[in-house]
C-alpha cells in the first residue's frame, strides 16, 4: 500500500549558481484488496534526475470485530464546532458517507489546540502499549471529545510506527512483517495497510466510528502519463473517521516520514490529518470492493471525480497545495506540444521567493537549455518549453516561499513533443527565474529592473538602462547560450545620476545570458542580482570588444564616448572623448587634462608602440586623495 512518506533528496549540480532542489514524492505499493499477498509494482527511477525515490509498501486488511456501547460525553474542545455526544463505532451502514460541510480550518483553526493531547501522547509509557485496549485507554484518557481522541490516536500511530522498508524491498531476504494490528503494535513496523488497520482498531476501541479505505494513490509507483484503471490492483490504504457529525479523511502513513537510501526517515507531518476532501482527491481515489458507486461516496465531495479524470489530472504535491498554486494553463498531466508550449501557474497566496524548472528525457538526461522561467506580475509564473528533438520529456517545476536555497517539488508534467522548430536556438542554461533577484533593492536598484526579463537586438549591439536608487557597485558578464563561461569584454557599464547604462556587443546570433553582480555598501563580495535573456538576431558586422572598464570609472560616473574599442593602433594620433560630473582631472600618457565645458574632455593623444600598456587615469581634486585611479585600459597593436 501507499506509504505515507515523502522522499527528500538533495542532488548536486555542476554549476555553483544553481540551487539545491528538494524533491517531494509520495510512496506507495500495490495492494490487492481481494488477496492477502502483496504484488510489488515496477520501481523505475523517474526520468527527472532531480527526483530520486525509494519505495514503501502495503498489507492486507484486518477488520476489528469489536463494537462499543455508546457513551455520553460533554464536548469542550477549543474548536468552535460542537460535536455533541460520542457515537458508537460503526461503519457507513450507520453513518453513511456524505460530502463534508466543514473545512479543516474550521475544525482545527490552530494545531496548538492539541498541545496537551500531543504532549500526553509523546509521554506514552511502554506499559501502555502492551495491547490495543490498553493503548487506546491511555491515549484517550485526557480527551474531552471525539476530535481529541482522534488526534491522540493519529499522533501515536504516525509518530511511532516505522515503515517496513526492509520487508517491502526484501533487503537481504527480509520478509514483510505482519499487518495484523496487534502485530503492528508489537513490531512498531508495517506498511500502509498496517498503519490504517491499527488506526481503525484503536478508534473502535475508543468508540470512534472509523473505516479503512482502499484505493489508488499517486505515490511512488505512480508514473505521470500512465493511465490508472480498475484493471489495476489498488495500491494504498487510508482511513475515514467520523467527527463533528461528518466523515473526514486521514492518512497516518503519508504523515509518518519518508524513505531514502533504503531507510525510513521520520518527520512530523500534519497535511493528511482531517484533510479537506477536495485536496485529498488529488492523490487518493477510493475503490472499495470493486463498487464504484460506493467508492465515489467516500470521496466526500458534492461532485465526485471519476477514475479517468483522476488519472488524467496532474498530481499536485502537498507543498503546491500549501503554496495555494493554481495551475491556470495546464491541469492534465500530459501536455501535447507542437514546437513550444507555455505553462503558467499562479501563487494565489504568498508570492514565490524562487522558482525553477527542469526538463529531462527518458534516459535521465537534462535539457535545461530548452526551458525559460519568468515571473509575470506579482504572482504569475510562466515556463516556456521548447524541445530541440521530438519525444517525451518530464517537466518538473520547483519553488519556495522562503529565502532558503532549497526548492520544493511543485508539479511534474509529461511533455509529448511531436514536432520542433527548425534551427531553434537553445536558451542559456539557467536554473531559476530570469530577471531580478528578490533582494535587488538592497544593492541600490530601483523596481524598474524587475519589470523585464528579456531583450532583443537586430544589430548585435544593445543598450539597457537600469534605474537605480543609489549609486551601485556592479560588474557584468555576457555568456552565449552554448558557452559555460561568459566574459566582460563585450560589456561596458556606466554609472549615471539615476541609472546604470549597460552597453553590449554580440558576435554570434542566438541567445545570451546577461548577468549583473553587485556589492552592498559595506559588503565584501559581489552577488548575482540580475539575469536577463538577450536574443541577438544578427551579430555585429565588425566585432570589437570594449576596453577594460575599472570600478573607479563607475564610482566617478565617467562615460567614455570614444574610442570604445579595446585595441588601438600603435603610434597613431587618437581622439579621446569622455565626460563626468564627479572626476575633474584625467591623466593620459603622463599628462593631466582638466575637465572642459559640459563636463567633457576632448583629447588627442599619440599612442605608444605595439605591445605597450595604455591606460586612462582620473582623480577628484578636492577629495583629499591625490592618487590617480585607473579608469580604462586599452591594448596597443
Amino acid at each position: 500500500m501507499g506509504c505515507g512518506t515523502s522522499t527528500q533528496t538533495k542532488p548536486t549540480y555542476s554549476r555553483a549558481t544553481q540551487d539545491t532542489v528538494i524533491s517531494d514524492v509520495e510512496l506507495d505499493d500495490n495492494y490487492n484488496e481481494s488477496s492477502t499477498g502483496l504484488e510489488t509494482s515496477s520501481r523505475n527511477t523517474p526520468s527527472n534526475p532531480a527526483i530520486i525515490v525509494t519505495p514503501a509498501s502495503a498489507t492486507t486488511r484486518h477488520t476489528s470485530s469489536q463494537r462499543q456501547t455508546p457513551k455520553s460525553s460533554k464536548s469542550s474542545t477549543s474548536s468552535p464546532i460542537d460535536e455533541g455526544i460520542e457515537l458508537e463505532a460503526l461503519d457507513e451502514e450507520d453513518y453513511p458517507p456524505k460530502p463534508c460541510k466543514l473545512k479543516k480550518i474550521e475544525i482545527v483553526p490552530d494545531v496548538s489546540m492539541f498541545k496537551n493531547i500531543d504532549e500526553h501522547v509523546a509521554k506514552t509509557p511502554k506499559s501502555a502499549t502492551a495491547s490495543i485496549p490498553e493503548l487506546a485507554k491511555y491515549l484517550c484518557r485526557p480527551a474531552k471529545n471525539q476530535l481529541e481522541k482522534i488526534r491522540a490516536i493519529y499522533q501515536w500511530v504516525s509518530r511511532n510506527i516505522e515503515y517496513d522498508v526492509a520487508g517491502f524491498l526484501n533487503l537481504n531476504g527480509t520478509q514483510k512483517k505482519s499487518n495484523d494490528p496487534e502485530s503492528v503494535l508489537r513490531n512498531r513496523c508495517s506498511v500502509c495497510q498496517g498503519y490504517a488497520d491499527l488506526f481503525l482498531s484503536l478508534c473502535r476501541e475508543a468508540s470512534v466510528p472509523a473505516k479503512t479505505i482502499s484505493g489508488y494513490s499517486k505515490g511512488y509507483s505512480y508514473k505521470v502519463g500512465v493511465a490508472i484503471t480498475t484493471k489495476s490492483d489498488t495500491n494504498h490504504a487510508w482511513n475515514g473517521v467520523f467527527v463533528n457529525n461528518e466523515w473526514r479523511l486521514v492518512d497516518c502513513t503519508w504523515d509518518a516520514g519518508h524513505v531514502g537510501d533504503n531507510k525510513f526517515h521520520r518527520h512530523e507531518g500534519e497535511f493528511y490529518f482531517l484533510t479537506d476532501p477536495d485536496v485529498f482527491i488529488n492523490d487518493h481515489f477510493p475503490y472499495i470492493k470493486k463498487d464504484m458507486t460506493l467508492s465515489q461516496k467516500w470521496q466526500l465531495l458534492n461532485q465526485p471525480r471519476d477514475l479517468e479524470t483522476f488519472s488524467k489530472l496532474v498530481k499536485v504535491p502537498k507543498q503546491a497545495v500549501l503554496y495555494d498554486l493554481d495551475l491556470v494553463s495546464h491541469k492534465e498531466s500530459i501536455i501535447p506540444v507542437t514546437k513550444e508550449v507555455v505553462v503558467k501557474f499562479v501563487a494565489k497566496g504568498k508570492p514565490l521567493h524562487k522558482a525553477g524548472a527542469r526538463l529531462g528525457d527518458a534516459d535521465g538526461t537534462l535539457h535545461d537549455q530548452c526551458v525559460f522561467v519568468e515571473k509575470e506580475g506579482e504572482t504569475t509564473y510562466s515556463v516556456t518549453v521548447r524541445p530541440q528533438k521530438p519525444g517525451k520529456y518530464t517537466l518538473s517545476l520547483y519553488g519556495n516561499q522562503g529565502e532558503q536555497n532549497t526548492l520544493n517539488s511543485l508539479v511534474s508534467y509529461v511533455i509529448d513533443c511531436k514536432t520542433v522548430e527548425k534551427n531553434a536556438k537553445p536558451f542559456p542554461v539557467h536554473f531559476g527565474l530570469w530577471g531580478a533577484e528578490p533582494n535587488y533593492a538592497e544593492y541600490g536598484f530601483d523596481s524598474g529592473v524587475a519589470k523585464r526579463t528579456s531583450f532583443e537586438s537586430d544589430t548585435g549591439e544593445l543598450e539597457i538602462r537600469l534605474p537605480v536608487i543609489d549609486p551601485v557597485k556592479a560588474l557584468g558578464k555576457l555568456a552565449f547560450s552554448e558557452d559555460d563561461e561568459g566574459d566582460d569584454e563585450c560589456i561596458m557599464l556606466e554609472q549615471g545620476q539615476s541609472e546604470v547604462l549597460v552597453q553590449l556587443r554580440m558576435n554570434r546570433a542566438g541567445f545570451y545570458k546577461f548577468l549583473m553582480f553587485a556589492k552592498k555598501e559595506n559588503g565584501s563580495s559581489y552577488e548575482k542580482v540580475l539575469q536577463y535573456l538577450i536574443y541577438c538576431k544578427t551579430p555585429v558586422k565588425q566585432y570589437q570588444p570594449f576596453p577594460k572598464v575599472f570600478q573607479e570609472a563607475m564610482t566617478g560616473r565617467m562615460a567614455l564616448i570614444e574610442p570604445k574599442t579595446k585595441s588601438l593602433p600603435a603610434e597613431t594620433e587618437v581622439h579621446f572623448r569622455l565626460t563626468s560630473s564627479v572626476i575633474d582631472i584625467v591623466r593620459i600618457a603622463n599628462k593631466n587634462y582638466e575637465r572642459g565645458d559640459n563636463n567633457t574632455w576632448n583629447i588627442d593623444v599619440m599612442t605608444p608602440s605595439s605591445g605597450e600598456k595604455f591606460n586612462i587615469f582620473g582623480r577628484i581634486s578636492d577629495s583629499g586623495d591625490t592618487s590617480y585611479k585607473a579608469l580604462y585600459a586599452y591594448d596597443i597593436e
Side-chain angles (χ1 to χ4, degrees):
M1 269 309 179
C3 174
T5 84
S6 299
T7 298
Q8 297 180 335
T9 62
K10 295 185 179 181
T12 302
Y13 303 134
S14 59
R15 292 179 176 82
T17 59
Q18 291 174 331
D19 295 296
T20 302
V21 176
I22 287 184
S23 63
D24 193 352
V25 181
E26 267 69 43
L27 310 176
D28 63 16
D29 52 61
N30 285 345
Y31 170 70
N32 187 340
E33 189 180 36
S34 63
S35 70
T36 59
L38 176 71
E39 296 182 5
T40 306
S41 64
S42 60
R43 288 183 281 281
N44 296 326
T45 301
S47 60
N48 177 3
I51 296 180
I52 302 174
V53 295
T54 49
S57 109
T59 71
T60 59
R61 178 177 174 178
H62 172 85
T63 303
S64 171
S65 61
Q66 183 174 1
R67 296 167 64 90
Q68 300 295 319
T69 302
K71 300 177 183 179
S72 177
S73 174
K74 186 177 180 180
S75 173
S76 58
T77 178
S78 57
S79 168
I81 308 303
D82 185 0
E83 302 185 334
I85 63 171
E86 294 184 358
L87 302 171
E88 187 177 0
L90 305 178
D91 284 341
E92 67 269 24
E93 293 84 359
D94 302 271
Y95 307 111
K98 296 179 181 180
C100 292
K101 296 180 180 180
L102 301 174
K103 302 293 286 185
K104 178 177 178 177
I105 191 66
E106 297 177 272
I107 303 171
V108 186
D110 190 335
V111 73
S112 65
M113 64 188 282
F114 298 121
K115 181 177 182 294
N116 292 336
I117 293 293
D118 291 351
E119 289 178 350
H120 175 74
V121 171
K123 296 175 182 178
T124 303
K126 184 177 181 180
S127 60
T129 64
S131 68
I132 288 176
E134 290 181 71
L135 179 57
K137 181 180 179 181
Y138 172 82
L139 293 176
C140 297
R141 184 181 301 159
K144 301 180 181 67
N145 50 55
Q146 298 288 82
L147 178 60
E148 291 188 353
K149 287 183 180 181
I150 294 167
R151 175 66 181 191
I153 294 169
Y154 161 85
Q155 278 288 98
W156 194 91
V157 174
S158 62
R159 273 47 173 178
N160 288 276
I161 306 302
E162 292 197 359
Y163 191 74
D164 186 11
V165 180
F168 179 70
L169 296 179
N170 195 28
L171 298 177
N172 299 319
T174 303
Q175 298 298 310
K176 294 184 293 293
K177 292 180 171 59
S178 171
N179 299 316
D180 174 81
E182 290 286 358
S183 298
V184 175
L185 176 61
R186 181 172 59 255
N187 296 325
R188 306 290 173 87
C189 186
S190 186
V191 289
C192 65
Q193 192 72 34
Y195 280 86
D197 282 346
L198 177 57
F199 179 87
L200 174 69
S201 295
L202 288 167
C203 283
R204 291 192 165 185
E205 198 65 46
S207 298
V208 174
K211 178 179 178 62
T212 293
I213 302 171
S214 60
Y216 301 103
S217 70
K218 292 182 178 180
Y220 168 68
S221 63
Y222 169 69
K223 296 178 182 177
V224 179
V226 177
I228 301 172
T229 70
T230 55
K231 294 180 180 179
S232 306
D233 292 334
T234 57
N235 65 356
H236 192 39
W238 57 95
N239 294 102
V241 63
F242 198 81
V243 62
N244 296 111
N245 296 317
E246 63 180 14
W247 287 96
R248 303 294 302 193
L249 302 169
V250 299
D251 189 336
C252 295
T253 320
W254 280 23
D255 265 343
H258 70 271
V259 178
D261 302 323
N262 293 339
K263 296 179 181 178
F264 176 75
H265 302 272
R266 183 170 299 285
H267 67 76
E268 296 184 358
E270 299 281 347
F271 189 78
Y272 292 100
F273 176 64
L274 306 181
T275 312
D276 289 327
D278 59 338
V279 174
F280 209 78
I281 190 60
N282 172 61
D283 44 26
H284 292 69
F285 189 94
Y287 190 54
I288 306 165
K289 300 177 181 178
K290 301 186 184 299
D291 185 339
M292 188 59 75
T293 300
L294 169 65
S295 300
Q296 286 186 312
K297 292 180 180 179
W298 280 103
Q299 294 180 25
L300 306 181
L301 295 169
N302 285 310
Q303 296 181 330
R305 191 168 293 176
D306 60 70
L307 186 56
E308 182 180 5
T309 300
F310 173 81
S311 177
K312 287 182 177 180
L313 289 177
V314 67
K315 176 186 175 181
V316 183
K318 62 183 179 183
Q319 203 62 48
V321 175
L322 295 173
Y323 289 169
D324 198 12
L325 293 193
D326 182 10
L327 306 177
V328 295
S329 66
H330 296 82
K331 299 185 185 298
E332 294 189 356
S333 59
I334 300 178
I335 302 177
V337 175
T338 300
K339 297 183 180 179
E340 79 169 34
V341 66
V342 178
V343 178
K344 292 190 178 185
F345 62 95
V346 174
K348 294 192 295 183
K350 180 181 177 182
L352 298 181
H353 183 76
K354 292 184 179 181
R358 313 226 79 143
L359 188 70
D361 61 24
D363 296 327
T365 302
L366 288 177
H367 298 269
D368 290 350
Q369 75 278 11
C370 302
V371 179
F372 175 76
V373 186
E374 61 182 327
K375 187 176 181 181
E376 299 178 354
E378 289 298 316
T379 59
T380 301
Y381 302 83
S382 174
V383 182
T384 300
V385 183
R386 189 181 297 166
Q388 293 181 292
K389 294 181 180 179
K392 290 189 176 181
Y393 302 84
T394 297
L395 173 66
S396 299
L397 309 183
Y398 302 90
N400 67 23
Q401 290 183 331
E403 296 186 5
Q404 68 273 22
N405 288 327
T406 54
L407 302 183
N408 296 302
S409 174
L410 300 181
V411 65
S412 292
Y413 294 97
V414 167
I415 300 295
D416 188 3
C417 182
K418 302 299 184 182
T419 59
V420 299
E421 182 73 42
K422 291 183 179 180
N423 303 318
K425 301 294 184 181
F427 296 117
V429 174
H430 171 67
F431 181 77
L433 286 169
W434 289 83
E437 292 291 328
N439 61 343
Y440 62 84
E442 298 176 14
Y443 295 87
F445 290 94
D446 187 75
S447 60
V449 301
K451 293 181 178 180
R452 294 190 63 174
T453 58
S454 61
F455 298 84
E456 194 171 286
S457 171
D458 293 325
T459 63
E461 293 189 289
L462 182 66
E463 288 189 353
I464 303 173
R465 297 182 181 274
L466 303 174
V468 297
I469 303 170
D470 301 303
V472 299
K473 298 178 180 179
L475 302 172
K477 247 184 188 182
L478 187 67
F480 189 62
S481 61
E482 298 175 6
D483 291 344
D484 287 335
E485 299 294 334
D487 62 57
D488 54 7
E489 291 187 342
C490 48
I491 299 175
M492 176 174 280
L493 303 182
E494 293 179 355
Q495 173 76 67
Q497 181 69 30
S498 59
E499 66 179 19
V500 172
L501 174 63
V502 180
Q503 302 170 76
L504 305 176
R505 285 182 185 152
M506 292 160 281
N507 60 355
R508 286 182 281 184
F511 286 105
Y512 289 78
K513 175 167 61 176
F514 170 66
L515 299 175
M516 177 162 280
F517 303 85
K519 184 165 63 172
K520 295 180 182 179
E521 183 64 31
N522 298 317
S524 59
S525 62
Y526 284 86
E527 306 292 339
K528 185 176 66 175
V529 179
L530 306 173
Q531 48 270 318
Y532 291 138
L533 181 70
I534 311 294
Y535 180 61
C536 176
K537 288 185 176 180
T538 306
V540 67
K541 292 182 178 179
Q542 294 182 336
Y543 175 76
Q544 290 262 10
F546 289 105
K548 180 177 179 59
V549 182
F550 292 92
Q551 186 61 45
E552 284 71 15
M554 286 276 291
T555 305
R557 298 184 184 176
M558 177 67 76
L560 177 62
I561 301 172
E562 60 176 323
K564 290 186 177 182
T565 57
K566 183 178 181 180
S567 298
L568 298 178
E571 301 175 358
T572 302
E573 187 174 83
V574 176
H575 181 74
F576 291 85
R577 189 180 179 200
L578 311 94
T579 179
S580 171
S581 60
V582 176
I583 295 173
D584 53 4
I585 299 178
V586 163
R587 185 176 181 85
I588 305 177
N590 297 320
K591 186 175 181 181
N592 295 344
Y593 298 89
E594 293 186 356
R595 190 170 51 195
D597 295 338
N598 300 318
N599 297 327
T600 302
W601 289 266
N602 285 284
I603 307 168
D604 294 316
V605 177
M606 183 66 68
T607 59
S609 302
S610 176
E612 291 190 27
K613 294 181 179 181
F614 188 83
N615 292 356
I616 298 177
F617 300 88
R619 73 177 178 90
I620 304 171
S621 59
D622 60 355
S623 65
D625 185 356
T626 59
S627 62
Y628 286 87
K629 309 294 184 182
L631 304 177
Y632 305 100
Y634 292 87
D635 292 337
I636 303 299
E637 297 182 352

